[in-house]
Amino acid sequence: MFSTSNSVSISVSDDESNDLNRIRTRTRRKRKKPGHRTSFELPRYILRLFLRYWIVLVFLLAVGLLVFESTRIGTKPANSELKNPESSRKESPSKKNEGNLNRLDPTTKVIGGVRQRCLKLLPPEELENLDILERKDSSSPVKKLVYLTDTDTSMGEKKAVRGNGTRFNLFTGNQTFAERENSFQVSETVSVHCGFFNENGGFRISDEDNKFMQTCQVVVSTCAFGGGDNLYEPIGMSKASTQKVCYVAFWDEVTLAAQEEEGHKIGEDGYIGKWRIVIVKDLPFMDQRLNGKIPKMLSHRLFPNAKYSIWVDSKSQFRRDPLGVLDALLWRTNSVLAISEHGARSSVYDEAKAVVKKHKATPEEVQVQINQYRTDKLPEDKRFNGKKALSEASVIVREQTPLTNLFMCLWFNEVVRYTSRDQLSFPYVLWRLKVLKNVNMFPVCTRKDLVNSMGHVRKAKPLVSL
């Protein structure tokens, strides 16, 4: 028995009782039932479910999409393709780029933090008073060119297109390899193959057109053979240039028929807009790209009295004043040849790989050309005289001097001997003809300022072998 006298009494106040009750209450709140989830645990629970069953969800979505597409196909009219035949065709380059037509806005670039125009033309009032510059370069090492010809009519019985496994023919003359080497030997008088070798060689032009071409002092030219590209009206010229500059477009009879079919007919005066249309008959090459090199590279043969010439590819619209272009690219830079540099590559050897990869020439013919250039020790330098070695050559501006004419003849002979991809032969000829130094390789942005690029409209039809 415990004695009551030894017991100890502990008094508890009401406040302390309430505190104990709150502690018990908190303890009970923490002991939740297993099935109950708080608002913070629910998203985690859903996430765990998704991670466990996401494959099933993706499968269900795929099945649903498949069912939806099958119902769409089933309800699609069977003749819908007949109603919209154009919908399955690719948009032509001309349609894609027709927004470029007649644009005169300048092309600019940022230099030293300042935006400047790529082609620095004179102000309009000065362009109107600009005259053709007369230059006499007595220091040129080449004074006279003698073009090799053969007027023996008995040669007409020979094959006019290709012979001896090459593309040399009556138009080009059969240049031997020894003659090729001699043509690079510079002297005051140089004899060189340069097309128009025989009167039966082809590229026939009417007497009326020939007479007109003899009168041109400055010429802007282009060509379209085989029904190829359309003709774009030149824009941006001054009134003075319209009176002093010839605009000449060379067509063959296939292009003439194709353009007339589209309603582009030559006027009684021989013009369409500002372009004098010159119809060429009896093209000398099966390769239409090679036929196009004749007006591109041999403008000095077609316009023997012209002091200056500007070549523009048929895929472009020339949009600047010609005399202003001569002033900006030749006269102010003291150059005799200005040509657009390549935008993508700088080395001829890299370009050869690209030509093969893009199927623009066969690997075999490219290999023959590149092997010869390696044998001749053409360097792999990507720059000549501080500028790109590779040209894009869609715009060529030049003074027609004996030296530049020789360069163009040599370049033409290379594209005849090897491939018609003139980007491959340009650096080689420039390297071999070391005396030609005043060359202005202008950048891509300048070329974009010179022309509106329209792209090729249609593929040229090859000549049919008879």
Side-chain angles (χ1 to χ4, degrees):
M1 271 317 273
F2 292 104
S3 173
T4 58
S5 61
N6 296 328
S7 62
V8 179
S9 63
I10 302 173
S11 62
V12 179
S13 67
D14 291 339
D15 293 338
E16 290 176 343
S17 177
N18 290 338
D19 290 341
L20 290 173
N21 288 336
R22 279 197 294 270
I23 292 171
R24 292 191 190 99
T25 302
R26 289 191 192 115
T27 305
R28 283 195 297 270
R29 283 175 184 171
K30 289 181 181 179
R31 295 173 184 173
K32 300 293 181 181
K33 291 182 180 180
H36 183 71
R37 305 280 178 184
T38 65
S39 60
F40 295 102
E41 291 178 332
L42 185 60
R44 280 184 276 175
Y45 177 71
I46 295 173
L47 179 61
R48 284 197 296 269
L49 284 178
F50 176 77
L51 292 174
R52 183 175 296 178
Y53 299 110
W54 69 270
I55 296 177
V56 177
L57 292 173
V58 170
F59 176 76
L60 292 174
L61 287 172
V63 171
L65 183 61
L66 184 63
V67 172
F68 175 73
E69 290 295 330
S70 63
T71 56
R72 281 185 71 236
I73 294 172
T75 57
K76 192 174 182 178
N79 62 345
S80 61
E81 286 296 323
L82 296 177
K83 289 182 180 180
N84 298 296
E86 297 296 326
S87 61
S88 61
R89 298 179 186 173
K90 290 183 178 180
E91 192 176 8
S92 66
S94 62
K95 292 293 182 182
K96 289 180 182 179
N97 298 323
E98 63 183 5
N100 290 340
L101 190 62
N102 297 329
R103 289 175 51 250
L104 279 170
D105 54 302
T107 305
T108 60
K109 63 179 179 180
V110 177
I111 302 175
V114 180
R115 183 164 294 279
Q116 300 181 22
R117 182 167 178 170
C118 296
L119 179 66
K120 297 179 180 178
L121 293 174
L122 293 173
E125 59 275 11
E126 293 187 39
L127 289 177
E128 289 295 346
N129 297 317
L130 197 59
D131 206 352
I132 301 171
L133 182 64
E134 297 279 354
R135 292 199 293 191
K136 292 184 179 180
D137 187 7
S138 58
S139 63
S140 175
V142 180
K143 307 297 184 186
K144 181 180 180 182
L145 283 188
V146 176
Y147 302 118
L148 297 176
T149 60
D150 191 333
T151 57
D152 185 359
T153 55
S154 64
M155 289 186 67
E157 299 176 1
K158 296 181 181 180
K159 190 174 182 180
V161 180
R162 297 204 182 196
N164 303 321
T166 73
R167 295 190 291 188
F168 291 121
N169 54 32
L170 292 181
F171 179 80
T172 63
N174 187 20
Q175 184 198 50
T176 66
F177 197 80
E179 288 173 328
R180 172 184 181 267
E181 288 300 302
N182 289 334
S183 64
F184 287 102
Q185 304 303 313
V186 174
S187 60
E188 286 196 2
T189 301
V190 180
S191 298
V192 64
H193 287 79
C194 202
F196 302 93
F197 185 77
N198 186 275
E199 62 183 21
N200 295 317
F203 210 85
R204 304 181 190 282
I205 295 172
S206 71
D207 292 339
E208 184 180 356
D209 285 330
N210 261 318
K211 185 177 180 180
F212 164 78
M213 290 158 61
Q214 299 278 334
T215 65
C216 297
Q217 286 193 311
V218 177
V219 60
V220 177
S221 63
T222 189
C223 80
F225 296 142
D229 296 320
N230 291 332
L231 188 65
Y232 302 107
E233 185 73 0
I235 56 176
M237 72 287 292
S238 64
K239 291 181 180 178
S241 283
T242 58
Q243 299 169 355
K244 298 173 183 177
V245 178
C246 300
Y247 292 87
V248 178
F250 295 92
W251 285 359
D252 64 349
E253 293 173 298
V254 177
T255 301
L256 175 63
Q259 291 298 312
E260 285 183 341
E261 206 172 291
E262 294 187 7
H264 306 142
K265 295 187 177 181
I266 303 173
E268 293 183 0
D269 58 354
Y271 285 81
I272 295 180
K274 294 181 178 65
W275 291 104
R276 170 80 177 223
I277 308 299
V278 174
I279 304 300
V280 181
K281 297 183 179 180
D282 191 17
L283 293 173
F285 301 107
M286 299 296 294
D287 183 355
Q288 292 286 26
R289 187 181 289 110
L290 195 53
N291 286 320
K293 305 304 178 189
I294 298 171
K296 179 175 183 176
M297 297 178 175
L298 306 185
S299 62
H300 56 284
R301 303 299 312 268
L302 296 165
F303 305 92
N305 297 322
K307 295 179 176 64
Y308 299 94
S309 62
I310 300 174
W311 165 263
V312 182
D313 273 3
S314 58
K315 63 183 178 183
S316 302
Q317 179 190 36
F318 190 64
R319 62 172 185 156
R320 296 299 174 221
D321 180 70
L323 295 182
V325 170
L326 294 176
D327 173 71
L329 299 183
L330 296 185
W331 301 338
R332 272 188 267 154
T333 62
N334 195 30
S335 302
V336 291
L337 173 66
I339 190 167
S340 53
E341 67 181 17
H342 206 289
R345 287 167 293 280
S346 300
S347 168
V348 65
Y349 298 107
D350 292 339
E351 179 67 10
K353 295 174 186 176
V355 166
V356 172
K357 186 177 180 180
K358 295 179 180 180
H359 307 289
K360 294 185 175 180
T362 66
E364 294 78 15
E365 61 182 346
V366 171
Q367 194 63 50
V368 169
Q369 185 171 8
I370 294 303
N371 284 346
Q372 183 59 54
Y373 291 172
R374 288 190 187 278
T375 300
D376 294 339
K377 296 182 172 50
L378 174 68
E380 297 195 22
D381 297 350
K382 295 185 177 181
R383 305 189 80 80
F384 289 163
N385 299 325
K387 296 188 177 181
K388 271 192 177 184
L390 203 64
S391 71
E392 183 261 353
S394 64
V395 179
I396 303 173
V397 183
R398 70 184 179 103
E399 184 175 356
Q400 296 195 168
T401 68
L403 183 56
T404 60
N405 294 347
L406 173 61
F407 176 87
M408 302 305 283
C409 293
L410 297 174
W411 192 11
F412 177 75
N413 291 335
E414 287 295 294
V415 299
V416 174
R417 179 176 292 276
Y418 297 112
T419 71
S420 53
R421 306 306 305 181
D422 53 42
Q423 295 93 335
L424 293 178
S425 46
F426 176 84
Y428 176 80
V429 178
L430 186 61
W431 172 70
R432 287 292 302 267
L433 198 64
K434 292 178 171 57
V435 294
L436 180 60
K437 297 185 181 298
N438 299 342
V439 178
N440 180 5
M441 299 280 290
F442 54 82
V444 173
C445 70
T446 301
R447 189 252 305 164
K448 290 182 177 180
D449 200 299
L450 285 168
V451 299
N452 288 322
S453 182
M454 308 303 297
H456 291 297
V457 176
R458 61 186 75 85
K459 191 174 182 180
K461 296 178 182 178
L463 290 182
V464 179
S465 182
L466 298 177

